[in-house]
Amino acid sequence: MERVLSGIQPTGIVTLGNYIGAMQRFVKLQEEADCYFCVVNLHAITIPQNPEELRQKTLDLVAMYLATGLDPSKATIFVQSQVAAHAEAGWLLQCVARVGELNRMVQFKEKGKGSESVVAGLYTYPVLQAADILLYNANRVPVGEDQKQHLELTREIAERFNRDYADVLTLPEPFIGEVGARIMGLDNPEKKMSKSADSEFNYITLLDEPKKIEKKLKRAVTDSENMVRFDPATKPGISNLLNIYSSLSGKPIKELEKDYEGVGYGQFKKDLIEVTVDHLAPIQARFREIRNSDEVMRVLEQGREKASEVANQTLRRMKDAMGII
Ligand code: TYM
């Protein structure tokens, strides 16, 4: 059976980008693979966080995993910091990764903006991500397109470890969706949708109220052609909305293009608002139910135990290969 691992940072309310690019696909994967999904709180502290808020957001994300349909009897759900092997393996792999490789990481350049005062953890962030993946011998890693470079680095680190020490680590494949791997900002479809965007009109969160969803989608940037056609190069706004529509409704883009032949953007947006609101309503209801129950803690206890068992085995093999007593 295939082994799957992925993680999401608890740095804000999950956006439709995170959901479509990653979470929605986690729910499908749990039916066919041995899945591990974590909340990567150690990655979150590479940018300043308020400690109490971070605690709450970590639990929010666990509840959101459950609300979107992850089932703890099928997938292992855990918090990264609760499995100590991640930090330990992260260090071992920092002694395998090369400075030259980390210098090429686009996300560090974007987030660090060349500043001398960003923390060192932001620089070594992708090595901790490699540890997350490699500890579980994951062969598939479902992520959005923005994580492709980190996954390539993970493979390089694993290959080098296997060559220089012993054949311990499994080389993972990125698993990037055909539709929705890069959901763009609603207010600027040239850049990816991001929870850290300046304007809230950039994104929809999974907890947005129907009124807010309506407002944001009504304002979403389109073009003046008034023809619903998928062409990201010349029609980035409409193509992005088609991606969202298709991912949430399950209808192929080709079919949607046919449905909206001769129908203008007004009706298209109206229907997309309805599809989005209807898709998120049951998730929001379940989130409210779960967040304040003891289910979150129960799931985490079970997840920590199961994840530690797998991770500690790999960590032991890594240490043995490296001569670390
Ligand atoms: P994070 O928390 O930024 O994002 C979580 C997931 O959401 C995807 N994503 C998107 N997909 C499509 N369109 C978008 N606009 C969009 N924005 C975000 C991301 O690609 C990601 O899959 N480094 C990772 C967290 C991580 C991780 C891991 C992932 C840590 N360890 C191990 C996989 C395996 C990150 O920052 O994700």
Side-chain angles (χ1 to χ4, degrees):
M1 197 188 234
E2 273 199 304
R3 178 66 69 72
V4 165
L5 177 129
S6 197
I8 298 184
Q9 297 191 72
T11 44
I13 303 172
V14 176
T15 68
L16 267 191
N18 301 131
Y19 179 66
I20 293 172
M23 282 175 115
Q24 194 181 21
R25 301 168 58 234
F26 298 174
V27 180
K28 283 209 189 101
L29 278 165
Q30 70 178 343
E31 305 298 337
E32 55 185 68
D34 182 17
C35 291
Y36 290 77
F37 297 117
C38 56
V39 174
V40 291
N41 54 348
L42 297 175
H43 279 110
I45 54 172
T46 56
I47 49 173
Q49 302 289 337
N50 171 301
E52 186 46 32
E53 265 179 35
L54 179 62
R55 244 187 300 275
Q56 295 308 324
K57 284 180 185 168
T58 303
L59 300 176
D60 283 347
L61 187 49
V62 176
M64 195 50 93
Y65 271 156
L66 298 169
T68 55
L70 285 184
D71 175 347
S73 72
K74 294 179 180 160
T76 304
I77 299 164
F78 66 101
V79 172
Q80 185 188 34
S81 64
Q82 295 192 322
V83 179
H86 289 244
E88 244 185 290
W91 176 259
L92 300 182
L93 294 179
Q94 276 188 53
C95 301
V96 175
R98 306 265 160 92
V99 170
E101 288 169 328
L102 297 183
N103 285 340
R104 286 193 287 276
M105 292 296 117
V106 173
Q107 189 171 302
F108 174 70
K109 288 185 201 161
E110 278 172 8
K111 285 194 182 168
K113 296 191 181 93
S115 160
E116 293 261 313
S117 58
V118 296
V119 302
L122 190 67
Y123 185 62
T124 56
Y125 176 117
V127 187
L128 180 60
Q129 180 164 351
D132 297 341
I133 297 166
L134 298 173
L135 278 173
Y136 296 87
N137 306 309
N139 18 46
R140 274 217 274 181
V141 184
V143 282
E145 203 171 80
D146 60 342
Q147 295 302 310
K148 211 169 156 187
Q149 197 187 28
H150 286 170
L151 293 193
E152 278 160 12
L153 176 70
T154 301
R155 286 176 64 91
E156 268 163 41
I157 292 174
E159 253 175 345
R160 189 172 308 130
F161 185 99
N162 289 347
R163 193 184 59 227
D164 293 354
Y165 293 108
D167 196 7
V168 171
L169 303 173
T170 304
L171 266 54
E173 295 285 345
F175 181 48
I176 295 170
E178 276 166 34
V179 178
R182 192 170 167 82
I183 298 297
M184 310 307 277
L186 300 177
D187 61 346
N188 176 8
E190 310 281 342
K191 281 177 99 171
K192 73 163 187 175
M193 178 180 285
S194 166
K195 48 195 161 194
S196 54
D198 293 334
S199 160
E200 66 159 357
F201 286 95
N202 174 272
Y203 53 78
I204 288 176
T205 81
L206 297 200
L207 292 180
D208 277 351
E209 308 260 330
K211 275 264 159 290
K212 206 166 220 183
I213 293 172
E214 183 179 352
K215 230 168 141 182
K216 289 178 174 179
L217 283 174
K218 273 193 172 157
R219 268 229 217 163
V221 170
T222 55
D223 53 64
S224 56
E225 199 186 39
N226 210 27
M227 246 171 80
V228 178
R229 196 163 51 81
F230 188 76
D231 183 356
T234 62
K235 295 167 75 68
I238 282 293
S239 302
N240 188 41
L241 297 183
L242 273 167
N243 255 329
I244 295 174
Y245 199 141
S246 170
S247 302
L248 297 184
S249 67
K251 271 195 182 178
I253 289 180
K254 280 261 160 287
E255 209 173 292
L256 291 171
E257 282 180 324
K258 271 207 199 101
D259 288 354
Y260 286 96
E261 237 173 61
V263 183
Y265 293 164
Q267 186 62 44
F268 173 72
K269 277 193 170 179
K270 219 171 137 213
D271 294 347
L272 175 58
I273 291 164
E274 196 178 311
V275 163
T276 309
V277 168
D278 288 354
H279 191 96
L280 296 186
I283 294 176
Q284 297 180 352
R286 246 183 84 69
F287 175 82
R288 281 190 288 270
E289 216 174 273
I290 295 165
R291 179 59 179 92
N292 295 313
S293 72
D294 55 9
E295 196 174 339
V296 170
M297 290 307 176
R298 242 183 314 123
V299 167
L300 285 187
E301 193 50 47
Q302 190 189 320
R304 177 226 304 257
E305 223 170 273
K306 176 111 185 282
S308 298
E309 214 179 284
V310 178
N312 287 339
Q313 272 182 29
T314 312
L315 179 65
R316 187 64 262 156
R317 295 179 66 209
M318 287 170 75
K319 285 181 171 173
D320 286 346
M322 295 176 100
I324 298 295
I325 63 168

